[in-house]
Amino acid sequence: MSTIDSQFGFKAGLSTSLCTYSFKQTVDYYTGKGSHVFVCFADFSKAFDRVNYWKLFKQLLDNGLSCLIVSLLACWYSHQRVCVLWRNTLSSSFTLGNGTKHGGVLSPCLFNCYIYKLILSIMSAKVGCNVGGVYINILAYADDVVLLAPSWRAYSI
């Protein structure tokens, strides 16, 4: 599956420290030249619950994942039933219509795949902070995202 350089979460050898370092170095570069950096922080912690299965499966196929694996995931996700335990009372089981499994080992990878096109489109927009010809306009760590721009218009004035 494809990965994006600006996504630091759920990848071997990358960490929050490296993501924070990239953010700090970009801000220091601009402020050192007397410029501003406008940032927008977004926490998509509830996004795992909102993942549309069928859009996810299409994205997995678009990324070249085997049809057999996608079919297996589709079967698992479309047939899962859950119950809610509240104050020692267990609800009747019901089917979930979206979301990735909380605590599931595949969930972080599936979420990365789900937001792949969004991050890629922002990265390739050629707006935001530019350091040495490289646009650093979005940094992500798992479900936390920061957008960076040298002006409120998202490009250098």
Side-chain angles (χ1 to χ4, degrees), residues 88-125:
N88 296 324
T89 303
L90 191 63
S91 74
S92 300
S93 66
F94 57 94
T95 303
L96 293 179
N98 59 342
T100 58
K101 297 176 188 252
H102 287 263
V105 293
L106 283 179
S107 294
C109 293
L110 294 174
F111 182 73
N112 271 354
C113 184
Y114 192 70
I115 65 170
Y116 173 85
K117 284 184 180 176
L118 171 67
I119 293 176
L120 186 61
S121 66
I122 293 170
M123 285 178 59
S124 60

Side-chain angles (χ1 to χ4, degrees), residues 29-151:
Y29 175 83
Y30 272 85
T31 57
K33 293 182 177 284
S35 179
H36 297 286
V37 177
F38 292 78
V39 297
C40 175
F41 292 93
D43 178 359
F44 293 118
S45 60
K46 298 294 182 195
F48 278 74
D49 296 331
R50 306 274 186 216
V51 170
N52 179 299
Y53 299 154
W54 307 110
K55 287 181 183 178
L56 170 63
F57 302 144
K58 182 181 179 326
Q59 182 63 40
L60 291 169
L61 290 170
D62 290 348
N63 280 2
L65 193 62
S66 163
C67 292
L68 293 172
I69 293 173
V70 175
S71 294
L72 178 62
L73 289 170
C75 183
W76 283 346
Y77 274 88
S78 63
H79 292 93
Q80 64 182 333
R81 298 191 59 80
V82 297
C83 300
V84 175
L85 178 64
W86 186 66
R87 294 189 179 192
N88 296 324
T89 303
L90 191 63
S91 74
S92 300
S93 66
F94 57 94
T95 303
L96 293 179
N98 59 342
T100 58
K101 297 176 188 252
H102 287 263
V105 293
L106 283 179
S107 294
C109 293
L110 294 174
F111 182 73
N112 271 354
C113 184
Y114 192 70
I115 65 170
Y116 173 85
K117 284 184 180 176
L118 171 67
I119 293 176
L120 186 61
S121 66
I122 293 170
M123 285 178 59
S124 60
K126 304 234 186 274
V127 296
C129 293
N130 185 324
V131 179
V134 176
Y135 283 94
I136 303 172
N137 51 10
I138 184 168
L139 298 170
Y141 190 85
D143 57 359
D144 296 311
V145 174
V146 60
L147 302 171
L148 299 97
S151 72

Side-chain angles (χ1 to χ4, degrees), residues 15-30:
S15 64
T16 54
S17 299
L18 187 56
C19 187
T20 303
Y21 177 78
S22 299
F23 172 77
K24 186 172 177 353
Q25 288 298 111
T26 303
V27 171
D28 288 349
Y29 175 83
Y30 272 85

